[in-house]
Structure formats: C-alpha cells, structure tokens
C-alpha cells in the first residue's frame, strides 16, 4: 500500500465525488505505488508465445512499445469489431445517461471520474469514433473522436486494470450495455503490444505447465490431498478416500487450486471430502485438470478457450459421465456463458444426474457440468444428509454473492438454502448490495496483488461497508462466499473496513454440520480445529 494512505480514515479523506475541472478526454495519469500491477514476466510470456515480451514498468516514460504499435492496435480493433457485433453495438448505443456512474466499486472507492463505467468505456469509444465512424473520420474531436496516442494507450492500461469485470454496472444500464466486455476487449488489445500484468500471465503459464495456476506439480498435488485426508481424520476419526486420476469414475470433480493450497479455502475442501465420503460418491480428482479457475477470462478469448478445454479433455480421457465443479467464480462464468461458443457442446458426456437423488440437472445439458451448490442443495432438499446446524453456532453468518456465480450464473438461492439448513444464525447484508446487485470484492480479474493493495482496498470499500453494517447490527463474525479469489482477497477487505470478520466457504459449514454415520468419536472440533460450541460450553461448565 502506498505511503500516502495508511489508515481507513486517511483513505476516506482522499475520496472526492466532485469531478475535477479538467478535460476528461485528455490523459492525466499518476502511476503511484499501490495503484498498478507489475507487468508480466517476459519468460512467462514467451512460454505462452505472447507477443513482444520485454522488461518495462508503468511509471517509466518509455514503455518500449513496438514501432508499429498504433497499427497493431487499430487492426486489432477492426478485427474485433467485425468478429463481435456486440462490441460495435455497445460502442454505438451508449447515451451517457449516467445510470452506471455510481455503481462501480472502484469509482465509489476512488472518486476518480474515469472509473465511472461510462467514462471508462469512453476511453475506447472515443478512439472508435475517431477511426471507425464517418463523423469521427471527418470531424475528429468535434464528433467525440480522439487520436490514439501513447498517453491514451497508457490510460487504457491504467483503467482497464482498475476494472474487475464484475458486471454490476450492466445490471443498471437501461440499454443492457455490458461494460465488462469493453474491458475484456481493451485488455485483448493491450496484450497485442505486450502490455500484460504478471498476476494474469504467470497463473496462465503455470496452468499450461502443471495444470493449475499455482504451479503445483502432480506429486505435490497428491501429497496435499493426503494432508487433507489426514485433517479430515483428525476432525472426524474417519479415513476418507480421495481418488485421483481414476479411469471409469462416474464424476470428475474439479476445484480451484486455492482450495487445496490456502486458507480459508482449505476448510471448504475438507467439507467436500467429508460430503463425498458420506455419500459414497463415485468420483475422481485429476492431477492434470487440477484447476477449475480460468484466468484466460481476464486475458483473451483464445486463452480462455485453451484453459477451459483441458477440463473437458481430461473428462474424456478418464471416461467419466459428467463433471462436478467446486466453489469457484470465473470457472463458472466461462462454463456458463462461453463454453458452448468457445469449445462447443460436450457431446461425449452425459447430462448430469445425481446418483443419490436421481435429479437430472437439465440446466447443464450443454456443458455437462454442475455446480457443487446445486448438487448439495438438491441433496438437502431430498433429505439425503443428516445435519446438525448447532455445530455452526460459533458463527454469525452473512453471505457474499460472488460476482460470477451470482450475476453470470444466477446462482442466488442455492447457497442461501444450504446455509439456512446447516446453520442457525444467518443475516443478509443490505438489499442493494446482494444478489444481482452484489458488490465485488474489489480484487477480481487478476487484480488481487500486494503491489495493487491501495486500489484493492478502495474497490473493496462498498463490500466492506456492507459487512461492517451486519457486524455492527447483528454481530456477524464470518463472511461466506463461493469464489476462490473472494476467499483470498476478502480477508484483507474485511480486516480493513469491518475488522475481525472471518471469511469462509459454504462447504466448510456443510462439513461442520454433517453427521457422518461412520464417525468413530464424538465431534469436538470444527474443520478449522476450533472447539465446537457445545464442547466450549461443557468445558466452561466444568470449570
């Protein structure tokens, strides 16, 4: 975080929603520490065969662009305008009504008028008008056109990497303009001249090299899963099975790599293993498809396609019937919104059908992939699980609708249904901050880095403020969610804006509440290893 901002109070003082008296068409940037991400490592770019790998830095005057950079960008724009009719429509129809202006978490946390979605889109729209409309070609600036200069390109980099592609602004647009798609196109164009950030390119490179974003090799993956099996045994006394690379299993289970590597994701993973053991589920993990997340969504359509393909290639190799996906965000946006067009229907798989309840998940007819929340909610609805909600009484719970499962997938009721069946103390955040209107964590789409911390916390202000509201009013002490990026970045947001609120997953709560028939001893701790409320109460009584 930059030296100028060291506390909540000081950060809040820097937010001013009165626009400065300046020409918004004129770039006026300051690459302060804490507001930008490190450029991509050239070696990682070479591994992915990306163009123009080099050493450069945003604060430098010279970004070492290729000599014909302008020609490359304009040609790239032309190709995308011809390929995506939606892009041309979005650039043409905006009337700058301002309905989206105060809906962006980065605008609310910074006060920077160019972080209004309408103004962020105008960065590209002005160039589009200048070079691709009759009025702009003839009249230039008089028609709202703007010359493409190096300063304009730098402005694209600055603001398109201050957008988490959360799509909240699109909910409020009366024309249905999806500003996220503009950001995605902006990043694709920047990639053409080698302007990438490392926290997107390195995970992509790792995923091609080892199968997951973290670069965990197959033997390390297997060791980690064994650690999880041991942790489940410590909690329950039960030795669960976690099969890997097993051909002929009914289900391929795919999770984000953070679930088996980091906290608090780890506790969600333990919940998965406990649930599947209790069900006797015929499933397998894969050391090749060891990543559900898809950072290609933040880079380019081609990269998104390449990463999504490996899940289905592994499903075909293992001969499974269908795919079950864990608590992840962008994995589900890619699967739900892009799979059919970028990879095509997975006709070699079957429509997912729960082997426990017999429910056929018709919504997954094309993708052949079902979300774990749908699967578990169906189990609870059909009375297939024995649950003790009091085992989660140590928590006063609120739920964060992760942007991609919520806005992109419409997965709104299932997580709430699960929480209300596995816990007793659930409290919603204010209505205008949840469900379709949910606020982003402020760190998605590859922006969850330490060097970008100031902007992360600024972007996290609206979500952190809503968490503080339910903490102050109801005593909420855990924020649950269904996204690996959220679980990684929300702890900092909660600590900074709300204070002393933990972050966890839905299936952590399921693991706590699940009464397993093979339990060899009374459950005394939750999946975090902390004493259950009943145990704490008895110990206090004994004293």
């Amino acid at each position: 975080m930059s030296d100028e901002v060291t506390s909540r109070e000081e950060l809040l003082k820097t937010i001013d929603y009165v626009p400065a008296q300046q020409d918004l068409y004129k770039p006026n940037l300051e690459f302060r520490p804490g507001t930008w991400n490190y450029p991509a490592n050239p070696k990682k770019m070479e591994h992915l065969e990306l163009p123009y790998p080099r050493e450069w830095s945003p604060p430098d005057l010279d970004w070492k662009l290729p000599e014909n950079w302008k020609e490359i960008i304009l040609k790239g724009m032309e190709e995308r305008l011809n390929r995506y009719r939606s892009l041309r429509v979005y650039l043409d129809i905006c009337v700058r009504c301002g309905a989206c202006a105060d809906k962006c978490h980065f605008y609310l946390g910074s006060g920077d008028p160019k972080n209004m979605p309408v103004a962020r889109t105008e960065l590209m729209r002005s160039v589009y008008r200048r070079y691709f409309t009759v009025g702009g070609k003839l009249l230039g600036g008089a028609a709202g056109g703007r010359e493409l200069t190096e300063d304009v390109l730098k402005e694209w980099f600055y603001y398109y990497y201050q957008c988490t592609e959360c799509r909240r602004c699109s909910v409020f647009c009366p024309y249905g303009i999806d500003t996220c798609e503009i950001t995605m196109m902006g990043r694709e164009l920047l990639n053409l001249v080698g302007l990438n950030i490392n926290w997107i390119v390195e995970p992509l490179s790792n995923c091609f090299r080892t199968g997951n974003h973290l670069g965990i090799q197959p033997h390390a993956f297997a060791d980690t899963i064994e650690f999880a099996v041991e942790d489940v045994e410590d909690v329950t006394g039960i030795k669960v099975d976690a099969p890997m690379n097993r051909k002929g299993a009914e289900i391929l289970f795919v999770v984000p790599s953070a679930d088996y590597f980091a906290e608090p994701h780890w506790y969600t993973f333990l919940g998965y293993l406990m649930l599947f053991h209790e069900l006797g589920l015929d499933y397998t993990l894969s050391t090749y498809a060891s990543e559900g997340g898809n950072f290609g969504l933040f880079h380019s359509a081609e990269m998104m396609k390449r990463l999504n393909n490996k899940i289905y290639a592994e499903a075909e190799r293992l001969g499974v019937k269908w795919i079950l996906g864990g608590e992840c965000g962008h994995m589900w946006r890619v699967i739900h919104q892009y799979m059919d067009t970028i990879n095509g229907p997975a006709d070699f798989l079957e429509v997912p059908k729960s082997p426990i309840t017999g429910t056929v998940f018709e919504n997954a007819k094309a993708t052949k992939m079902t979300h774990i929340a749908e699967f578990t909610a169906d189990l609870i609805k059909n009375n297939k699980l024995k649950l003790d909600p009091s085992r989660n009484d140590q928590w006063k719970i609120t739920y964060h609708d992760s942007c991609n499962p919520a806005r992109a997938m419409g997965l709104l009721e299932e997580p709430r249904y699960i929480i209300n069946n596995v816990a007793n103390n659930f409290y919603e955040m204010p209505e205008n901050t949840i469900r379709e209107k949910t606020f982003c964590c402020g760190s998605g789409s590859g922006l969850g880095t330490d060097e970008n911390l100031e902007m992360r916390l600024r972007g996290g202000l609206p979500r952190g403020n809503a968490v503080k509201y339910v903490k102050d009013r109801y005593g909420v002490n855990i924020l649950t969610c269904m996204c690996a990026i959220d679980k990684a970045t929300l702890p900092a947001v909660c600590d900074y804006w709300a204070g002393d609120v933990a972050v966890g997953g839905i299936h952590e709560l399921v693991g706590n509440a699940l009464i397993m028939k093979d339990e060899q001893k009374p459950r005394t701790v939750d999946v975090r290893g902390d004493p259950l409320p009943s145990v704490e109460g008895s110990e206090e009584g004994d004293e």
Side-chain angles (χ1 to χ4, degrees):
M1 190 168 180
S2 62
D3 294 336
E4 290 82 6
V5 181
T6 57
S7 68
R8 292 192 304 265
E9 292 73 19
E10 290 178 350
L11 189 148
L12 289 169
K13 289 176 183 177
T14 66
I15 302 173
D16 184 359
Y17 298 121
V18 178
Q21 296 302 309
Q22 64 182 56
D23 183 355
L24 293 180
Y25 280 85
K26 183 178 180 181
N28 182 25
L29 298 176
E30 179 187 5
F31 284 95
R32 289 184 296 104
T35 64
W36 51 272
N37 300 79
Y38 294 149
N41 183 323
K43 290 183 178 179
K44 304 297 182 181
M45 293 178 63
E46 289 171 359
H47 178 240
L48 294 170
E49 299 180 338
L50 298 179
Y52 304 108
R54 63 191 184 277
E55 297 283 353
W56 66 282
S57 182
D60 292 345
L61 186 62
D62 182 7
W63 283 18
K64 304 176 184 176
L65 294 166
E67 288 186 9
N68 62 334
W69 69 267
K70 185 173 179 179
E71 177 186 344
I72 293 170
I73 293 292
L74 293 176
K75 182 180 178 182
M77 282 189 73
E78 182 179 18
E79 290 174 350
R80 283 154 183 78
L81 288 165
N82 292 332
R83 186 186 312 160
Y84 305 114
R85 183 171 180 271
S86 59
L87 176 60
R88 189 180 293 271
V89 170
Y90 291 158
L91 291 175
D92 280 337
I93 67 174
C94 177
V95 295
R96 292 176 286 290
C97 67
C100 65
D102 60 347
K103 306 307 186 294
C104 177
H105 47 285
F106 278 121
Y107 172 66
L108 293 175
S110 69
D112 185 339
K114 292 187 181 180
N115 267 326
M116 295 179 185
V118 58
R120 191 187 294 119
T121 302
E122 193 69 16
L123 302 177
M124 183 183 295
R125 184 177 287 115
S126 58
V127 174
Y128 162 73
R129 284 201 204 94
R130 167 63 183 83
Y131 294 95
F132 298 98
T133 68
V134 174
K137 290 177 181 179
L138 295 175
L139 302 175
R146 186 166 65 149
E147 295 291 332
L148 179 59
T149 65
E150 285 195 29
D151 285 341
V152 168
L153 197 69
K154 291 179 179 182
E155 196 174 43
W156 282 17
F157 179 86
Y158 188 78
Y159 288 105
Y160 289 140
Y161 287 104
Q162 285 185 23
C163 169
T164 50
E165 304 179 8
C166 81
R167 303 174 70 242
R168 187 174 193 264
C169 52
S170 67
V171 174
F172 296 89
C173 177
Y175 289 91
I177 296 172
D178 193 341
T179 306
C180 163
E181 297 286 338
I182 307 297
T183 291
M184 292 169 69
M185 292 299 102
R187 290 188 182 188
E188 281 203 20
L189 294 171
L190 291 167
N191 290 328
L192 296 178
V193 292
L195 300 180
N196 309 272
I197 67 171
N198 199 56
W199 192 225
I200 292 176
V201 171
E202 184 162 346
L204 289 172
S205 174
N206 288 341
C207 211
F208 279 105
R209 183 169 55 87
T210 68
N212 57 74
H213 292 154
L214 299 175
I216 299 170
Q217 307 239 1
H219 64 279
F221 173 82
D223 289 343
T224 302
I225 302 306
E226 279 304 308
F227 294 146
V229 168
E230 292 172 5
D231 277 3
V232 170
E233 189 172 13
D234 289 342
V235 172
T236 66
I238 299 172
K239 181 80 170 180
V240 303
D241 186 28
M244 283 173 279
N245 302 326
R246 184 165 66 82
K247 288 189 174 182
E250 180 176 2
I251 299 166
L252 171 63
F253 183 49
V254 181
V255 298
S257 53
D259 276 6
Y260 53 83
F261 182 79
E263 294 183 1
H265 317 65
W266 181 257
Y267 310 122
T268 298
F269 192 75
L270 301 186
Y272 299 149
L273 297 183
M274 294 162 68
L275 175 65
F276 296 164
H277 175 86
E278 181 64 13
L279 298 173
L281 197 66
D282 181 15
Y283 79 103
T284 185
L285 296 158
S286 165
T287 56
Y288 172 69
S290 55
E291 178 65 73
N294 192 328
F295 270 51
L297 178 64
F298 315 140
H299 183 276
S300 63
E302 178 60 28
M303 201 66 68
M304 178 178 17
K305 176 180 179 179
R306 290 162 69 181
L307 289 192
N308 190 62
N309 184 65
K310 70 180 173 53
I311 296 175
Y312 287 89
E314 184 68 343
E316 188 168 21
R317 186 186 76 85
L318 294 175
V320 301
K321 292 182 179 179
W322 56 279
I323 308 171
L324 182 64
E327 293 184 13
C328 184
H330 43 294
M331 168 170 71
W332 287 106
R333 179 153 183 227
V334 173
I335 295 293
H336 194 68
Q337 292 196 323
Y338 297 104
M339 165 67 189
D340 275 355
T341 52
I342 63 173
N343 295 100
D347 294 334
F348 60 91
L349 295 172
E350 299 177 8
V351 178
K353 178 180 178 180
S354 173
I356 313 303
T357 67
T359 297
V360 177
F361 295 96
E362 295 286 350
N363 61 310
K365 186 177 292 186
T367 66
K368 310 299 194 295
M369 190 167 180
T370 295
H371 194 288
I372 187 72
E374 298 174 286
F375 181 74
T376 302
D378 176 65
L379 292 169
I380 295 173
K381 182 180 179 181
N382 286 281
N383 299 312
K384 298 299 182 181
L385 301 179
K386 190 175 181 182
L387 302 166
D388 180 2
S390 70
R391 288 178 174 179
N392 283 308
D393 280 353
Q394 69 274 34
W395 298 119
K396 291 189 176 181
I397 304 158
T398 194
Y399 178 67
H400 163 66
D401 290 275
S402 300
C403 299
N404 287 311
R407 266 191 292 270
M409 195 180 179
L411 205 61
L412 306 173
E413 301 307 325
E414 291 86 344
R416 290 173 168 82
Y417 181 77
I418 295 171
I419 293 172
N420 281 314
N421 278 276
V422 301
N424 293 316
N425 307 307
F426 176 57
Y427 305 93
E428 290 277 21
M429 287 181 280
E431 184 178 354
N432 64 337
T433 72
I434 60 173
R435 300 180 185 270
E436 294 94 338
K437 299 177 183 179
T438 184
F439 273 111
C440 180
C441 66
S443 307
S445 75
L447 306 187
T449 61
D450 289 342
E451 71 269 17
N452 193 43
L453 186 57
E454 179 182 326
M455 286 312 301
R456 284 175 53 193
L457 294 175
R458 287 183 181 278
L461 167 60
R463 174 46 76 223
N465 193 43
V467 174
K468 187 176 188 303
Y469 173 84
V470 288
K471 177 197 172 187
D472 292 346
R473 186 162 186 171
Y474 305 114
V476 162
N477 59 3
I478 189 169
L479 173 66
T480 56
C481 58
M482 293 196 306
C483 172
I485 288 179
D486 285 338
K487 290 171 193 167
T489 61
L490 282 171
V493 170
C494 288
D495 286 346
Y496 191 80
W497 293 114
D500 201 26
V501 175
V503 175
I506 301 299
H507 281 76
E508 172 184 344
L509 303 180
V510 173
N512 286 340
L514 187 63
I515 300 174
M516 303 174 71
K517 53 181 174 288
D518 295 333
E519 287 183 6
Q520 303 297 311
K521 59 183 181 180
R523 191 89 70 87
T524 59
V525 295
D526 61 18
V527 295
R528 298 190 179 215
D530 297 328
L532 291 173
S534 58
V535 176
E536 281 188 328
S538 63
E539 288 177 350
E540 291 172 2
D542 291 341
E543 291 175 2

